[in-house]
Amino acid sequence: MEANARRTDSAGFPEPLPLEEAWQRLKAHLPPRRVEVLPLETAAGRVLAEEIHAPEASPRFTNSAMDGYALRYEDVAGAGPDALITLAVVGESQAGLPFSGKVGPGEAVRISTGAMVPEGADTVVPVEEVEVEESQVRLRAPVRRHQHLRFAGEEFKAGDLLLASGAELTPPRLGLLASVGIGRVTVFRKPRVAILVTGSELAGLAQPLSEGQIRDSNSLMLAAGVQRSGGEVIRIDRVPDDPAETAKRLQGAETQADLVIFSGGVSVGPHDHVKPAALANHYQPLFWRVRIKPGKPMFAARKEARMLFGLPGNPVSAYVCFTYFIYPLLRYLQGFEFGHRTVQAVAARRVENPLSRDHLMRIQLSGKGEHGVPRVEPLSRQGSHMLTSLTQADGFIRLPAGGRVEAGQEVSVYLFP
Ligand code: AMP
Ligand code: MG
């Protein structure tokens, strides 16, 4: 899949790909989405993988829009300031407890909002517009035929399309499905993700640190990133920098996973074993090395329906690359469009990129500038080993190689999950 042979740099490694090219390769090799059937109670936020047609009409029966009296229009057509009309109240229709009889000439039935309109009645007069005395109502105000009725089927008919495939199940949409008795829906499945962090220097939170060791922060950060992107983390494993071990752990992790995310071990050092392990396990590379800062060593590959990503080990590079490549893929697999989640903002000051790679520059969104558009403040700390620069950032902007953004210029901000 790695298209035509690429030029190599002076050290014999492939020249990094333009970011756009890496993105297009991913887009051209998106894995298939999977579906599952869920009870409505657990489907909030999921995306429908089926069309939903109404199994019944709404409203199911004609009912009252007001608390008042159901009556026959022809009995009260003449009501007005000078014509007092009196009707006999012969019963009540409550919500859930309909009146069993029929409304005859000169009769009215007390009715509640949502209650079934009894046979014979065709109009409702609100309680505020009548005088009641013993079992009689009097009205003086003019009445319109059919007023305050909600007619059976006026919202939709049985068989009408209620929700298209691709609709996100928002609270109102869940309410709509419940209102017509649909209790199970076919939705896109949450992608299952295995996270493998490589590095013989890494220790877990509970482990004591020996000399030269550092704490593994990527596995927690990436797992939280996957969860915030709607994915399901099925495994987290720490892998020492050993070729055989890396290949073996990949085999152990991939069986249940739709996505395998490696961190570290993907660069050009002698202890970087992720790419060979992927190749040995028959993954087809999509790209390796991208013309970006941070994140040049980024690796992506695919085996059948399964994707593998090799993120650089530097925490900042890992999270920026996760946001640029993996977050959109996780959203896509859940039924959303494949694309970046961005907001438009205005640069608070001029920034330049003298490098020959695109700079994914961490920024902070601050307040509102002109016309309510948020302002972008580039963060001064951009070192890819400094997690603090990430904790203050809302996302990043893409500054093309050799490019710049002037103060006041509009830019797209790629938002972190
Ligand atoms: P690598 O991409 O494996 O060369 O790692 C680049 C840098 O990121 C090194 O300084 C590693 O120690 C650091 N690093 C790698 N993995 C992690 C991790 N899981 N947590 C924190 N730092 C890491
Ligand atoms: Mg490493």
Side-chain angles (χ1 to χ4, degrees), residues 19-20 23 320 323-325 327-328 339-345 358-363 365 376 393-399 411-417:
L19 180 55
E20 195 53 35
W23 175 256
V320 167
T323 301
Y324 194 88
F325 291 106
Y327 178 37
H340 292 107
R341 214 180 112 239
T342 59
V343 289
Q344 290 309 108
D358 289 12
H359 189 181
L360 303 181
M361 181 182 273
R362 272 145 281 150
I363 61 90
L365 289 171
V376 160
D394 296 298
F396 50 84
I397 59 172
R398 178 179 167 188
L399 266 183
V411 287
S412 293
V413 174
Y414 297 75
L415 294 171
F416 289 133

Side-chain angles (χ1 to χ4, degrees), residues 198-199 201 241 264-265 271-272:
T198 71
E201 74 278 30
D241 291 318
H271 305 293
D272 293 329

Side-chain angles (χ1 to χ4, degrees), residues 34-257:
R34 303 194 185 281
V35 301
E36 64 185 340
V37 177
L38 286 185
L40 221 48
E41 290 86 342
T42 57
R46 296 300 199 91
V47 175
L48 275 177
E50 61 174 341
E51 278 187 349
I52 304 266
H53 292 266
E56 59 192 35
S58 174
R60 278 180 40 237
F61 49 85
T62 299
N63 65 84
S64 176
M66 303 286 268
D67 289 328
Y69 290 86
L71 42 76
R72 295 153 25 103
Y73 175 73
E74 61 192 88
D75 288 350
V76 299
D82 307 318
L84 189 75
I85 289 174
T86 303
L87 301 172
V89 180
V90 295
E92 181 175 19
S93 179
Q94 262 179 272
L97 290 175
F99 176 68
S100 53
K102 189 174 167 183
V103 179
E107 292 177 348
V109 158
R110 194 176 159 79
I111 194 163
S112 326
T113 305
M116 219 165 162
V117 173
E119 205 185 326
D122 61 3
T123 298
V124 166
V125 178
V127 70
E128 298 86 345
E129 291 174 17
V130 298
E131 285 164 34
V132 189
E133 203 172 290
E134 288 170 14
S135 57
Q136 299 204 311
V137 285
R138 282 189 208 96
L139 60 162
R140 193 186 284 282
V143 175
R144 276 176 301 106
R145 189 192 293 274
H146 299 325
Q147 71 177 22
H148 306 308
L149 294 191
R150 302 163 173 166
F151 285 100
E154 77 175 19
E155 187 181 7
F156 52 81
K157 312 268 183 291
D160 283 359
L161 178 68
L162 286 187
L163 294 173
S165 179
E168 184 179 352
L169 291 175
T170 57
R173 289 172 180 164
L174 289 169
L176 174 64
L177 295 176
S179 77
V180 293
I182 291 176
R184 294 168 78 73
V185 279
T186 304
V187 295
F188 293 104
R189 212 183 67 188
K190 282 172 174 280
R192 296 176 187 159
V193 182
I195 296 173
L196 297 174
V197 294
T198 71
S200 298
E201 74 278 30
L202 301 177
L205 263 179
Q207 282 169 253
L209 293 179
S210 51
E211 190 163 81
Q213 277 201 305
I214 61 163
R215 292 192 185 85
D216 159 29
S217 53
N218 282 353
S219 59
L220 264 171
M221 179 178 69
L222 292 172
V226 167
Q227 278 154 2
R228 280 187 78 126
S229 312
E232 191 187 327
V233 178
I234 57 163
R235 176 192 282 248
I236 298 177
D237 200 4
R238 261 193 302 278
V239 187
D241 291 318
D242 174 82
E245 200 59 27
T246 309
K248 197 176 113 198
R249 301 285 189 93
L250 171 56
Q251 280 163 22
E254 68 177 4
T255 45
Q256 302 293 317

